[in-house]
């Protein structure tokens, strides 16, 4: 790996991994991979009252799920650790003494403050351009606290110290940190260090333009895992929140994103999050899944929905799931779409009952049931031929029988190919469900 390009993702473990944080991690990871550099994970856990081991685990799990392996940090180590701020106190003390010896700090009611040089600071940001910050007025730019009276450290100081010590070359973070950057540059200079290059990426907004909060739909990476999104689809969508390959493509392979990714191509404007578009993109990826991966993920989805697949043969489960492949946008849709295969308790959709379980349809479905019972080979082609023949004999169109039949055997008006699902259910189970449907009419 290149020794000069070093970037970091530095989350605070106080909650779940936010989608905005995941996008920040992704952009850092892409930049590192594009340049053959190093992606560092650093945990900013100085807030002992709010940090939890569960939150740290959620960060690791979310990054691993997205495929964003870090080169240095917790669980993997590295030459610039420790990678938890709570374990770096001696390092901060050493840098604090340097500031003290140079006359850059003073005490104020037990707190330690940094004495601003009172100057203009120009930030040459790769995304936002050159910005001049006037820090000469103490009314609008008071001397910042770097250590609280209780001895705990303020984010601004330890953040800068860590970036110096870990030799971070580029700081890629959310635009909400842009106003902090001139203060950080003052600290870098006072510590005799060359500031890294900065790139502040646009915020992620809701469709209505409001800032995305932790309570908004799609905010938590864990919710995508629970809903059965594919990591490659979510990662693809996050790439497009503020960056694009400069053409109209929306589905783009990760390898190509790595090849094309440049910070200069990041859009200055805020990105609007669209969960529906992310879901659509996930459906596109699901259609291309190889059968073995679809089968494995589908089984996980059904098991998570408390469906006990151990009651059924592997051949039956595999055949049933094959009829669902290519028809879903999310794996969380599968228990509703194909759950009828794995239960004897069919719940009929009320609107379907009102529309198709009518007195008029009862003798029609009864005639179809009788025709099915005569079949010696209960396969899709035979079933389709018998249904069409029965419909013609009754002076009906095929759909007049298809709808009540589907409702009777699945409980729904939509689902997998009707003739194939009947074949998989088998003659005994299919006829039994038709009988239950007739009784319900």
């Amino acid at each position: 790996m290149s020794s000069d390009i070093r970037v970091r993702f530095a989350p605070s473990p106080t909650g779940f991994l936010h989608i905005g944080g995941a996008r920040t991690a992704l952009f850092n990871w892409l930049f590192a991979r594009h340049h053959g550099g190093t992606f560092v994970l650093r945990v900013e856990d100085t807030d002992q009252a709010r940090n939890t081991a569960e939150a740290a685990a959620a960060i690791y799990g979310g990054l691993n799920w997205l495929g964003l392996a870090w080169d240095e940090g917790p669980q993997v180590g590295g030459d610039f650790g420790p990678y938890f701020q709570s374990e770096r106190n001696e390092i901060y003390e050493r840098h604090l003494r340097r500031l003290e010896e140079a006359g850059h700090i003073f005490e104020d009611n037990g707190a330690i403050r940094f004495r601003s040089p009172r100057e203009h600071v120009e930030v040459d940001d790769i995304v936002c351009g050159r910005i001049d910050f006037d820090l000469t007025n103490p009314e609008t730019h008071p001397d910042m606290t770097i250590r609280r009276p209780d001895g705990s450290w303020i984010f601004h100081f330890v953040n800068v110290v860590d970036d110096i010590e870990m030799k971070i070359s580029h700081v890629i973070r959310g635009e909400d940190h842009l106003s902090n950057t001139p203060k950080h540059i003052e600290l870098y200079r006072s510590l005799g260090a060359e500031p890294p290059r900065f790139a502040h990426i646009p915020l992620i907004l809701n469709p209505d333009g409001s800032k995305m909060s932790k309570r908004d739909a799609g905010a938590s990476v864990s919710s995508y895992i629970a809903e059965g999104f594919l990591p490659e689809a979510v990662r693809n969508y996050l790439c497009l929140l503020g960056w694009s390959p400069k053409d109209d493509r929306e589905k783009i392979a990760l390898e190509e994103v790595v090849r094309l990714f440049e910070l200069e191509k990041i859009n200055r404007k805020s990105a609007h999050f669209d969960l529906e578009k992310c879901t659509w993109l996930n459906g596109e990826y699901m259609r291309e899944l190889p059968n073995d991966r679809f089968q494995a993920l589908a089984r996980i989805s059904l098991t998570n929905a408390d469906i006990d697949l151990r009651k059924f043969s592997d051949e039956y489960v595999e055949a049933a799931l094959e009829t669902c492949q290519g028809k879903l946008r999310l794996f969380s849709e599968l228990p509703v779409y194909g759950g009828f295969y794995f239960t004897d308790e069919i719940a009929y959709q009320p609107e379907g009952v009102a529309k198709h379980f009518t007195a008029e349809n009862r003798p029609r479905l009864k005639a179809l049931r009788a025709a099915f019972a005569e079949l010696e080979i209960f396969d899709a082609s035979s079933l389709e031929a018998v249904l069409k023949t029965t419909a013609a004999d009754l002076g009906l169109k095929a759909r007049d029988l298809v709808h009540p039949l589907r409702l009777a055997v699945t409980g729904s008006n939509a689902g997998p190919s009707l003739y194939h699902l009947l074949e998989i259910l088998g003659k005994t189970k299919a006829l039994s469900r038709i009988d239950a449907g007739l009784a319900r009419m």
Side-chain angles (χ1 to χ4, degrees):
M1 288 188 176
S2 171
S3 60
D4 54 345
I5 297 295
R6 291 177 57 83
V7 296
R8 48 70 167 180
F9 176 53
S12 178
T14 57
F16 57 73
L17 179 59
H18 190 275
I19 202 70
R23 195 268 309 256
T24 298
L26 173 61
F27 280 17
N28 275 276
W29 185 91
L30 288 169
F31 184 70
R33 293 295 175 266
H34 178 82
H35 290 284
T38 302
F39 174 53
V40 180
L41 175 62
R42 183 174 77 221
V43 179
E44 300 195 337
D45 62 341
T46 54
D47 189 347
Q48 293 298 312
R50 297 176 60 216
N51 296 328
T52 67
E54 292 78 12
I59 291 169
Y60 306 150
L63 292 177
N64 282 319
W65 181 75
L66 286 166
L68 306 182
W70 51 98
D71 306 306
E72 293 179 19
Q75 301 181 338
V76 298
D79 296 334
F80 298 89
Y83 293 94
F84 293 89
Q85 286 186 337
S86 59
E87 300 173 5
R88 297 174 62 81
N89 194 60
E90 290 182 11
I91 298 171
Y92 305 142
E93 294 279 7
R94 174 160 44 87
H95 283 270
L96 184 66
R97 286 194 296 273
R98 290 187 62 189
L99 290 179
E100 184 178 20
E101 291 165 1
H104 291 305
I105 62 173
F106 63 95
E107 187 177 342
D108 180 18
N109 293 321
I112 303 298
R113 287 181 168 300
F114 172 74
R115 198 187 307 278
S116 172
R118 300 279 160 235
E119 59 189 356
H120 282 258
V121 175
E122 184 176 81
V123 177
D124 183 13
D125 192 273
I126 297 172
V127 176
C128 303
R130 291 182 182 273
I131 305 172
D132 182 86
F133 290 89
D134 182 359
L135 308 186
T136 59
N137 187 347
E139 295 295 322
T140 58
H141 176 59
D143 293 320
M144 68 174 159
T145 300
I146 59 175
R147 195 172 199 175
R148 301 181 184 90
D150 66 3
S152 61
W153 302 101
I154 296 294
F155 154 80
H156 302 290
F157 177 64
V158 294
N159 185 272
V160 166
V161 169
D162 287 345
D163 285 345
I164 293 171
E165 287 282 322
M166 295 181 182
K167 302 187 184 305
I168 299 303
S169 65
H170 293 72
V171 171
I172 306 166
R173 59 189 179 188
E175 193 178 25
D176 49 337
H177 287 291
L178 180 59
S179 61
N180 296 326
T181 304
K183 305 175 190 176
H184 295 175
I185 289 176
E186 285 187 326
L187 279 170
Y188 280 108
R189 291 173 177 169
S190 297
L191 288 166
E194 181 70 23
R197 292 298 311 277
F198 291 95
H200 287 88
I201 58 182
L203 298 179
I204 297 178
L205 304 179
N206 288 312
D208 63 4
S210 61
K211 185 178 178 180
M212 197 173 195
S213 75
K214 290 185 176 182
R215 294 175 297 278
D216 291 320
S220 168
V221 171
S222 60
S223 69
Y224 295 87
I225 300 174
E227 283 294 314
F229 278 84
L230 294 170
E232 57 266 40
V234 176
R235 193 173 56 215
N236 186 156
Y237 183 68
L238 289 179
C239 288
L240 303 176
L241 289 178
W243 176 89
S244 86
K246 301 304 179 188
D247 54 34
D248 292 332
R249 282 180 299 165
E250 293 181 315
K251 188 172 182 292
I252 178 169
L254 180 64
E255 295 76 15
E256 190 167 5
V257 178
V258 169
R259 183 176 64 81
L260 296 173
F261 189 83
E262 290 285 0
L263 295 175
E264 290 81 3
K265 293 180 181 177
I266 294 176
N267 198 322
R268 179 74 177 84
K269 293 167 61 178
S270 294
H272 285 76
F273 184 84
D274 186 343
L275 186 57
E276 180 59 31
K277 186 173 180 180
C278 185
T279 303
W280 166 81
L281 189 59
N282 196 75
E284 296 297 298
Y285 273 92
M286 284 190 70
R287 270 190 281 281
E288 296 180 0
L289 281 179
N291 184 62
D292 57 348
R293 187 168 174 222
F294 176 84
Q295 291 274 339
L297 293 173
R299 286 170 181 263
I300 292 171
S301 175
L302 293 173
T303 301
N304 289 341
D306 295 326
I307 294 174
D308 188 357
L309 297 179
R310 294 172 299 179
K311 299 177 180 178
F312 308 92
S313 70
D314 285 341
E315 293 77 14
Y316 176 83
V317 174
E318 184 175 352
L321 293 177
E322 280 181 357
T323 67
C324 302
Q325 189 165 1
K327 307 294 179 63
L328 308 168
R329 299 192 307 167
L330 299 170
F331 276 103
S332 60
E333 297 171 348
L334 180 58
V336 172
Y337 187 84
F340 65 87
Y341 281 119
F342 311 106
T343 180
D344 292 325
E345 301 296 326
I346 298 297
Y348 305 110
Q349 286 183 345
E351 61 272 21
V353 170
K355 188 172 183 180
H356 302 298
F357 276 8
T358 61
E360 183 181 33
N361 276 340
R362 192 173 190 282
R364 298 171 175 176
L365 187 58
K366 194 171 183 179
L368 181 61
R369 194 261 188 224
F372 281 172
E374 295 296 321
L375 279 173
E376 292 185 9
I377 300 176
F378 204 78
D379 62 12
S381 59
S382 302
L383 289 161
E384 181 176 10
V386 166
L387 184 141
K388 290 180 176 177
T389 299
T390 304
D393 291 344
L394 296 172
L396 304 171
K397 293 180 178 173
R399 66 169 180 265
D400 295 327
L401 293 180
V402 163
H403 293 305
L405 172 61
R406 178 183 288 280
L407 185 64
V409 296
T410 71
S412 174
N413 296 133
S417 165
L418 178 61
Y419 307 112
H420 287 94
L421 73 84
L422 285 167
E423 178 181 339
I424 291 164
L425 286 173
K427 186 173 182 178
T428 300
K429 188 177 287 188
L431 293 180
S432 174
R433 292 190 180 189
I434 295 172
D435 288 339
L438 288 168
R440 180 73 167 78
M441 286 183 172

